[in-house]
Amino acid sequence: MSTGEAVAIAHPNVALSKYWGKRDGGGNFPAVPSLSITLAGLTTRTRVRWRSDLPNDRVVLDGRELRGPEAARALALVGRVRSELGLGASADVESLNDFPTASGLASSASGFAALALAAVPSGCDWEAARISDLARRASASAARSVFGGFVELEAGPRVAREDDFLAASQVAPPAHMPLVVLVCVTTEGPKAVSSTDGMRRTMANSPYAAAWVDHAPRLHRHLRDALLARDFERVGELAEASALAMHACAFAAGVTYWNAGTLEALAAVGALRADGTPAFATIDAGPHVKVLVRPEDAARAREVLGATPGVQRVIEATAGEGARLASAGEGP
Ligand code: PMV
């Protein structure tokens, strides 16, 4: 018997100023602020049914039931909703991505944003900030995918307590600064090191960890100012600088996400720039390179990147909307 059902749709986001590193003390609070673009063109659809006839919560992702550590964050999220709302039922979760899962394409961001929205029964009227806080506890980048356009997540409190509240918020709507993100997919396989593990190892072992935590907020403020001024080239330069600083810090701790295609794509972005096309790269916790260009340069950049050795395919995305409840027929 089903005691409530909702389907939510959410999109991944790509961070322009990166979140990397957590505050000590639990609760999944980021150590640095971040700013991202929510992407249209890549989609997660998640259905949650609260069922009194199901003995335990169940999570099925892309047709496969998740067990053990793989299911832990989703189970913690639905468990939190159950205890906050006093629900006497189990969650039956079914989720589908239309892009590679857990490969550095930010499937956790769209996945947990969609799960948070679908898990809270619609009659409860939680506002978006509360959904964002719920999603953040599973994956901090997911807090940003609850909102559309250009979205910011502040760093957590210096001494964070588990129950402190922290939600993302929109800095500017999708149309604020027209741009195209060309996602250069450099492998179809899942990534070897999860972002949580990569961050933990970086913060514990990188000689540059303190420098990153000191530098990232400054870079973030400059990027936010450039975005509000609609200065595309400055935003691109700072986004590339943020990604390179984050990966340099991680590299120094032996945390490497890149493959040969990553370097080839970076070189192609450099060549585009040398040739007069403003193109800027950013890289998340995976080997793919996401290239920011103006809409009028997208076709040319796509041609060059698509012909780059090691780039298997290019997905084109633009700034899109935040998470929303689906209408009938849009489910997974
Ligand atoms: O929220 P997580 O655990 O998926 O970590 C995201 C980390 C990066 O994608 C590399 C950066 C970011 O701000 O999204």
Side-chain angles (χ1 to χ4, degrees):
M1 200 183 69
S2 170
T3 56
E5 166 170 345
V7 177
I9 291 181
H11 307 287
N13 64 74
V14 57
L16 300 175
S17 75
K18 301 290 186 200
Y19 144 57
W20 197 248
K22 299 178 197 291
R23 292 284 196 221
D24 293 336
N28 204 36
F29 290 92
V32 298
S34 56
L35 196 156
S36 58
I37 321 172
T38 303
L39 301 177
L42 304 165
T43 301
T44 298
R45 289 184 167 75
T46 301
R47 168 182 283 116
V48 177
R49 265 178 290 203
W50 287 103
R51 292 172 50 178
S52 49
D53 62 336
L54 196 66
N56 295 304
D57 297 325
R58 178 169 69 182
V59 183
V60 175
L61 174 57
D62 292 333
R64 189 172 66 84
E65 182 167 354
L66 302 186
R67 296 190 185 276
E70 271 191 325
R73 285 190 290 170
L75 295 180
L77 191 158
V78 294
R80 193 174 180 94
V81 173
R82 179 172 32 245
S83 66
E84 285 201 25
L85 296 175
L87 301 175
S90 298
D92 191 1
V93 178
E94 199 189 336
S95 188
L96 271 184
N97 289 325
D98 69 0
F99 57 93
T101 297
S103 67
L105 284 180
S107 56
S108 70
S110 53
F112 289 116
L115 179 60
L117 185 59
V120 177
S122 56
C124 297
D125 276 337
W126 281 25
E127 52 187 31
R130 199 162 167 200
I131 300 287
S132 174
D133 175 73
L134 175 66
R136 177 193 53 74
R137 293 171 184 281
S139 158
S141 59
R144 300 186 311 239
S145 273
V146 170
F147 299 95
F150 298 87
V151 183
E152 178 176 50
L153 180 65
E154 299 285 356
R158 243 164 236 292
V159 185
R161 276 174 313 224
E162 186 84 30
D163 279 331
D164 286 341
F165 181 89
L166 181 68
S169 59
Q170 190 186 62
V171 174
H176 172 76
M177 194 177 74
L179 56 78
V180 170
V181 181
L182 297 168
V183 182
C184 301
V185 177
T186 62
T187 172
E188 300 288 352
K191 64 188 175 199
V193 185
S194 72
S195 49
T196 298
D197 212 33
M199 285 184 209
R200 191 186 45 71
R201 284 168 49 193
T202 304
M203 292 301 130
N205 303 325
S206 177
Y208 308 128
W212 162 254
V213 173
D214 177 59
H215 176 64
R218 248 188 329 271
L219 202 148
H220 172 83
R221 278 196 303 278
H222 292 314
L223 193 142
R224 191 182 199 284
D225 291 346
L227 173 70
L228 291 174
R230 295 189 168 88
D231 185 342
F232 171 80
E233 295 201 20
R234 180 89 178 122
V235 167
E237 280 163 16
L238 289 165
E240 194 168 297
S242 174
L244 294 177
M246 172 203 132
H247 282 276
C249 183
F251 261 107
V255 177
T256 53
Y257 287 103
W258 297 12
N259 63 19
T262 315
L263 287 165
E264 297 276 11
L266 279 178
V269 169
L272 276 165
R273 272 208 300 268
D275 209 29
T277 304
F280 303 92
T282 182
I283 306 163
D284 287 314
H288 315 299
V289 177
K290 294 141 189 180
V291 182
L292 311 170
V293 288
R294 289 200 178 95
E296 58 270 32
D297 294 326
R300 162 92 192 114
R302 190 175 180 157
E303 193 185 320
V304 169
L305 294 165
T308 299
V311 174
Q312 304 195 348
R313 63 193 172 108
V314 179
I315 305 172
E316 195 165 328
T318 52
E321 300 298 336
R324 65 175 172 88
L325 289 170
S327 35
E330 282 188 308

